């Protein structure tokens, strides 16, 4: 076996290991199961490539993106290493060449996508060619709590067990919960040799800004860095195209990239970005994981990312050469509403949604930080650094104020309303707005009604946003976004701790722009929950979502909040068949479990005859054994009750004819039924 230090210089051209690399390489060389968390740009790939050259057999590298595999294989071949990849992007000739090299036992590193593990033939092939080590890149993809879950990663544990070889897993971002799941999924609970090599990228300048003409903000940021390679991340595919066009019109070399493009188009963008200096790519998060370009000088987020893990993974693509790099992340209320909606509309179980809301809160805490951003960021990953001097808040400290009293007022309003309402309703209470909703629930009589008039409604919105950033409150997905207090808030409520917030965020909170939303802020979480139910039903039936109900029907449900199937039948777009098929399911989302209706009663749902049917049924139940409760049991069929409710007879003879009662039933029920009909 060749010594790794000699190969480090001979093959890779490095005189020495980077900090933390050597002991990881040694653990992998010794055949120990290994988990290494290293910052992007910290040299993760060398930690499995170098041992692969020293060990017997082929090392299989499981990697999530074709671009990532191609880049690493190309770099290895240029360094004289026999490496290959089996991907869906291969030509027949490329695939044949890889299999020849495997059969000849020449190949040292074989890159494959996790999707290939679905085939049992892959395991047989790896056993046949003498696989001696499994390396997993971007290991956080195995975690359902992480920011980039890939279901096919769950098969890696089975592969490891089948081959009986050591496994080395690598990732750049994994909080404690994600690390625990990596250990459980990949190493089946057995503790690997774990190396936590720090998350800090001190060369990257961190900055956030509240959205204020975001297109102009991005154009200005790019203009100040003209000629430098950069990435702009956007929340939607459409925005990548319009923003790329705006950058081109401003004289920049720019192109867009998103998952809806053809594979060849995406590949052309990737190749251009690798080869051209100064190109800007405007992209969704589909771009970047596989890009090993060392001289990206800046990364901007035109929209708020999904989580701190996602944010750090994305900005980590800048400055991988160690030289100075810059970032800018824009955020605003609409971003937060979008991200909350994406969580609520997902099909994840409630505990996963709660965790995702907590992760979004952590990102808001970074966006609304009162001191050094790098401290907030690295504390999230379990580190406790000194102020960095390389972020916008170290450059220019934020204006702060004592928000203890405001937070206590807000928490009091949450608790006095039973933790059952969102920020919009709570702000109406605090500012003394006697809306219909406030009056109907008696909340204008609460001690907290009007106690927050010193702040405007937008300013209170900024306070609630910063409360979420401190994780004092979280939306409850099971109660349609109602804010619930966390344990972190209890010392503040009890007066044991004070709170400092940013005054600039509160002072800058002006009226919201006149953008027409589908529903009010209060109804948005319920609309998300209804969409999630629609999506699940549509997927189960194999039909487009709009076939179940169109958006306008769900919007009306969210606004009217029907409590019964009768009320549901009054919603536009809910016909008799759809009420029967889906009414109870959607009512369950809005109001909890729906009381099932007899099919005959269901035919009257939403009609005036429905209420009459219910009263007739009550009268029948009361008189089933006669007035004194000792008579022979008598009853009408549900069909007869429906006919009577629809016809509304006014005489005993008409009642007998419509319902076919007969003498005994007519005597017992007739007068009572006619009295009920007359009252109606």
């Amino acid at each position: 076996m060749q010594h790794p230090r000699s190969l480090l210089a001979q093959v890779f051209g490095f005189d020495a290991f980077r900090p933390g690399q050597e002991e990881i390489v040694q653990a992998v060389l010794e055949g120990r199961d290994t988990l290494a968390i290293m910052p992007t740009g910290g040299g993760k790939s060398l930690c499995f490539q170098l041992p692969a050259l020293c060990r017997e057999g082929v090392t299989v590298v499981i990697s999530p993106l074709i671009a990532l595999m191609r880049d690493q294989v190309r770099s290895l071949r240029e360094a004289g290493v026999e490496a290959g990849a089996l991907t869906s992007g291969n030509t027949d000739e490329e695939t044949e060449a890889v299999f020849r090299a495997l059969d000849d036992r020449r190949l040292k590193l074989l890159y494959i996508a996790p999707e290939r593990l679905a085939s049992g033939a892959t395991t047989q092939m790896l056993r046949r060619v003498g696989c001696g080590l499994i390396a997993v890149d971007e290991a956080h993809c195995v975690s359902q709590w992480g920011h980039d879950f890939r279901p096919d990663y769950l098969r890696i544990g089975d592969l490891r067990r089948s081959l009986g070889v050591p496994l080395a897993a690598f990732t750049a971002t994994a909080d404690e919960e994600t690390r625990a799941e990596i250990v459980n999924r990949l190493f089946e609970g057995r503790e690997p040799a774990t190396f936590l090599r720090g998350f800090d990228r001190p060369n990257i300048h961190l900055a956030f800004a509240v959205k204020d003409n975001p297109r102009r903000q991005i154009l200005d940021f790019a203009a100040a860095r003209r000629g430098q390679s950069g990435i702009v991340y956007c929340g939607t595919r459409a925005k990548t195209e319009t923003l790329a066009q705006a950058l081109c019109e401003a004289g920049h070399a720019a192109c867009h990239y998103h998952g809806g493009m053809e594979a060849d188009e995406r590949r052309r963008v990737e190749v251009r970005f690798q080869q051209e200096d100064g190109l800007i790519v405007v992209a969704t998060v589909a771009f970047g994981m596989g890009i090993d370009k060392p001289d990206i000088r800046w990364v901007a987020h035109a929209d708020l990312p999904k989580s701190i893990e996602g944010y750090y993974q994305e900005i980590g693509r800048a400055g991988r050469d160690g030289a100075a790099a810059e970032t800018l992340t824009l955020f605003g209320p609409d971003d937060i509403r979008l991200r909350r909606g994406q969580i609520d509309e997902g099909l994840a179980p409630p505990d996963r949604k709660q965790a995702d809301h907590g992760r979004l809160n952590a990102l808001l805490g970074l966006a609304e930080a009162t001191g050094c951003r790098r401290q907030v960021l690295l504390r999230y990953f379990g580190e406790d650094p000194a102020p960095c001097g390389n972020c916008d808040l170290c450059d220019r400290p934020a204006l702060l104020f004592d928000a203890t009293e405001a937070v206590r007022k807000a928490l009091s309003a949450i608790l006095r309303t039973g933790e059952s309402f969102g920020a919009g309703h709570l702000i109406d209470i605090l500012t003394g707005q006697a809306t219909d909703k406030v009056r109907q629930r008696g909340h204008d009589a609460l001690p907290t009604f009007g106690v927050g008039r010193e702040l405007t409604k937008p300013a209170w919105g900024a306070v609630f946003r910063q409360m979420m950033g401190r994780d004092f409150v979280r939306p409850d997905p099971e109660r349609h976004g109602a804010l619930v207090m966390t344990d972190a808030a209890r010392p503040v409520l009890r007066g044991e701790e004070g709170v400092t917030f940013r005054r600039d965020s509160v002072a800058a909170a002006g009226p919201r722009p006149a953008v027409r939303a589908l529903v009010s802020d209060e109804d948005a979480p319920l609309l998300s929950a209804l969409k999630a139910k629609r999506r699940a039903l549509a997927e189960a039936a194999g039909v487009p979502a709009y076939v179940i109900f169109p958006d306008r029907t769900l919007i009306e449900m969210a606004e009217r909040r029907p409590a019964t199937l009768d009320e549901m039948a009054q919603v536009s777009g809910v016909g008799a068949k759809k009420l029967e098929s889906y009414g109870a399911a959607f009512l369950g989302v809005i109001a909890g479990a729906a009381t099932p209706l007899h099919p005959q009663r269901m035919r009257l749902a939403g009609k005036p005859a429905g209420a009459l049917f219910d009263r007739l049924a009550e009268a029948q139940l009361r008189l089933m054994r006669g007035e004194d409760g000792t008579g022979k049991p008598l009853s009408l069929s549900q069909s007869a009750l429906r006919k009577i409710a629809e016809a509304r007879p006014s005489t005993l003879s008409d009642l007998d004819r419509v319902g076919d009662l007969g003498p005994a039933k007519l005597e017992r029920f007739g007068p009572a039924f006619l009295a009920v009909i007359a009252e109606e």
Side-chain angles (χ1 to χ4, degrees):
M1 180 188 293
Q2 285 188 271
H3 194 279
R5 275 190 172 274
S6 64
L7 284 176
L8 180 68
Q10 178 185 333
V11 177
F12 297 97
F14 299 131
D15 295 332
F17 287 103
R18 293 186 190 180
Q21 280 183 323
E22 188 167 17
E23 51 189 327
I24 298 172
V25 167
Q26 191 59 40
V28 177
L29 264 177
E30 292 170 0
R32 299 161 65 192
D33 286 337
T34 304
L35 172 60
I37 296 97
M38 306 170 69
T40 302
K44 294 193 304 296
S45 57
L46 183 133
C47 291
F48 58 80
Q49 290 172 351
L50 185 56
L53 302 186
C54 299
R55 292 176 58 89
E56 292 295 323
V58 62
T59 292
V60 61
V61 183
I62 298 169
S63 183
L65 289 179
I66 291 175
L68 180 66
M69 292 187 269
R70 283 185 178 276
D71 290 340
Q72 292 202 8
V73 168
R74 183 166 53 244
S75 297
L76 286 166
R77 285 177 176 170
E78 289 176 358
V81 176
E82 288 276 6
L86 292 175
T87 78
S88 58
N90 280 20
T91 64
D92 290 342
E93 291 77 11
E94 288 173 331
T95 298
E96 183 60 33
V98 170
F99 278 118
R100 266 199 315 273
L102 284 169
D103 290 337
D104 295 343
R105 302 295 173 108
R106 288 185 285 109
L107 211 66
K108 295 302 295 179
L109 288 116
L110 172 65
Y111 285 77
I112 64 172
E115 291 77 10
R116 191 169 284 267
L117 301 182
S119 167
T122 298
T123 302
Q124 296 172 12
M125 179 269 290
L126 292 175
R127 188 180 293 116
R128 177 174 57 80
V129 300
C131 174
L133 171 69
I134 300 171
V136 181
D137 206 3
E138 310 294 351
H140 63 271
C141 295
V142 78
S143 172
Q144 296 188 61
W145 298 104
H147 62 285
D148 191 30
F149 175 57
R150 297 278 289 268
D152 291 293
Y153 266 66
L154 300 178
R155 298 191 176 96
I156 297 173
D158 293 337
L159 176 68
R160 171 186 174 278
R161 191 166 54 254
S162 177
L163 295 179
V165 299
L167 185 145
F170 300 84
T171 184
T173 52
D175 62 11
E176 186 175 347
E177 200 167 27
T178 303
R179 293 198 294 270
E181 190 165 3
I182 291 172
V183 170
N184 184 52
R185 298 280 192 184
L186 296 185
F187 301 99
E188 299 174 318
R190 294 186 298 182
E191 282 297 324
T194 301
F195 301 89
L196 190 59
R197 286 294 162 249
F199 293 94
D200 195 11
R201 296 285 305 284
N203 61 311
I204 299 178
H205 185 274
L206 309 179
F208 281 71
V210 175
K211 285 186 177 180
D212 177 20
N213 193 339
R215 178 179 293 198
R216 174 51 50 195
Q217 288 170 286
I218 294 294
L219 288 173
D220 289 347
F221 189 75
R225 293 150 187 83
R226 188 173 294 277
Q228 297 179 0
S229 293
I231 303 174
V232 182
Y233 284 110
C234 300
T236 65
R237 294 175 178 181
K239 187 179 284 189
T240 66
E241 297 181 13
T242 57
L243 194 50
Q245 183 178 351
L247 285 163
C248 289
E249 291 170 355
H252 298 277
C255 55
H256 68 272
Y257 183 106
H258 57 69
M261 297 164 59
E262 293 293 333
D264 288 346
E265 290 182 271
R266 295 200 303 271
R267 184 62 188 154
R268 277 196 292 272
V269 174
E270 292 165 0
V271 170
R272 278 191 67 190
F273 193 58
Q274 290 282 19
Q275 296 177 350
E276 293 184 26
D277 291 330
L279 183 67
I280 300 171
V281 175
V282 187
T284 60
V285 293
F287 179 79
M289 188 185 292
I291 300 301
D292 190 18
K293 183 178 172 70
D295 58 347
I296 299 170
R297 296 273 64 87
W298 58 270
V299 171
H301 283 87
D303 301 297
L304 190 72
K306 292 182 178 181
S307 65
I308 282 190
E309 290 94 341
Y311 164 77
Y312 205 35
Q313 188 89 5
E314 289 146 25
I315 67 166
R317 285 151 197 161
R320 296 180 68 158
D321 55 5
E326 297 176 277
T327 68
L328 172 66
T329 301
L330 303 182
F331 69 101
D334 288 342
D335 289 312
I336 300 164
R337 194 159 44 249
L338 170 68
R339 295 306 188 195
R340 296 283 188 214
Q342 289 174 333
I343 295 169
D344 291 339
E345 289 175 34
L347 300 180
D351 59 342
R352 167 76 187 275
K353 290 184 178 181
Q354 282 281 13
D356 286 343
H357 279 302
R359 283 180 161 80
L360 182 56
N361 275 1
L363 182 60
L364 292 180
L366 179 61
E368 297 279 10
T370 57
C372 171
R373 290 198 195 277
R374 192 167 261 99
Q375 285 186 310
V376 176
L377 179 63
L378 297 182
R379 282 171 184 161
Y380 177 83
F381 291 113
E383 300 182 14
D384 191 19
C388 70
N390 195 29
C391 72
D392 55 343
L393 294 179
C394 284
D395 299 340
R396 183 179 298 175
L399 300 173
L400 308 177
F401 76 106
D402 185 347
T404 307
E405 195 59 32
V407 171
R408 293 185 69 189
K409 289 176 180 178
L411 293 173
S412 178
I414 289 170
L415 293 178
R416 288 182 183 276
T417 54
E419 296 182 300
S420 298
F421 298 90
H425 183 72
L426 295 167
I427 291 171
D428 284 339
I429 294 171
L430 290 165
T431 55
Q433 305 293 313
T435 65
D436 289 344
K437 188 174 178 180
V438 168
R439 288 196 303 271
Q440 287 166 7
R441 289 162 174 78
H443 293 163
D444 52 341
L446 292 174
T448 46
F449 183 76
V451 298
R453 288 191 176 100
E454 75 278 3
L455 293 178
T456 64
K457 291 179 74 170
W460 270 113
V463 169
F464 273 95
R465 194 167 66 238
Q466 293 187 70
M467 287 172 63
M468 293 179 196
R470 295 290 183 89
D471 207 28
F472 291 159
V473 294
R474 290 186 185 183
D476 184 351
E478 294 190 290
R479 285 190 276 180
H480 313 314
L483 294 180
V484 297
M485 188 175 75
T486 67
D487 290 341
R490 299 190 187 283
V492 180
L493 188 64
R494 292 193 295 259
E496 298 168 2
E497 290 182 6
V499 182
T500 300
F501 278 173
R502 289 179 59 161
R503 182 177 296 281
D504 48 351
S505 288
V506 173
R512 284 182 53 198
V515 176
R516 175 164 171 74
L518 291 176
V519 293
S520 68
D521 284 356
E522 281 296 294
D523 295 328
L526 177 54
L527 179 60
S528 293
L530 292 169
K531 285 184 175 180
K533 172 58 71 175
R534 178 180 66 177
R535 177 178 156 201
L537 291 170
E539 289 181 354
V543 298
Y546 66 80
V547 170
I548 307 296
F549 284 124
D551 277 358
R552 64 177 180 274
T553 298
L554 298 190
I555 290 168
E556 189 173 334
M557 286 184 196
E559 292 174 340
R560 294 176 59 168
R561 298 183 182 235
T564 65
L565 287 168
D566 283 314
E567 293 177 9
M568 178 68 80
Q570 298 292 329
V571 174
S572 174
V574 183
K577 182 66 172 73
K578 288 195 175 182
L579 182 69
E580 181 181 348
S581 300
Y582 309 121
F586 283 88
L587 197 62
V589 173
I590 299 167
T595 302
L597 295 181
H598 189 280
Q600 295 294 332
R601 174 63 176 84
M602 181 68 82
R603 292 174 65 175
L604 303 179
K607 300 176 182 177
L612 178 55
F613 179 103
D614 293 339
R615 293 195 61 195
L616 292 171
E618 290 172 8
Q620 175 183 249
L621 183 63
R622 177 170 50 83
L623 296 171
M624 186 172 289
R625 286 186 173 272
E627 289 284 0
D628 59 4
T630 61
K632 176 185 175 182
L634 295 174
S635 64
L636 278 69
S637 69
Q638 298 285 301
S639 176
L641 286 179
R642 176 183 61 78
K643 291 175 181 178
I644 294 169
E646 289 177 324
R648 297 174 180 262
S650 58
T651 66
L652 286 173
S653 60
D654 287 345
L655 178 64
D656 188 22
R657 178 179 52 80
V658 171
D660 192 21
L661 272 66
K665 293 179 183 178
L666 188 64
E667 179 183 354
R668 181 172 295 183
F669 300 119
F673 279 11
L674 291 180
V676 168
I677 293 168
E679 288 177 13
E680 283 285 319

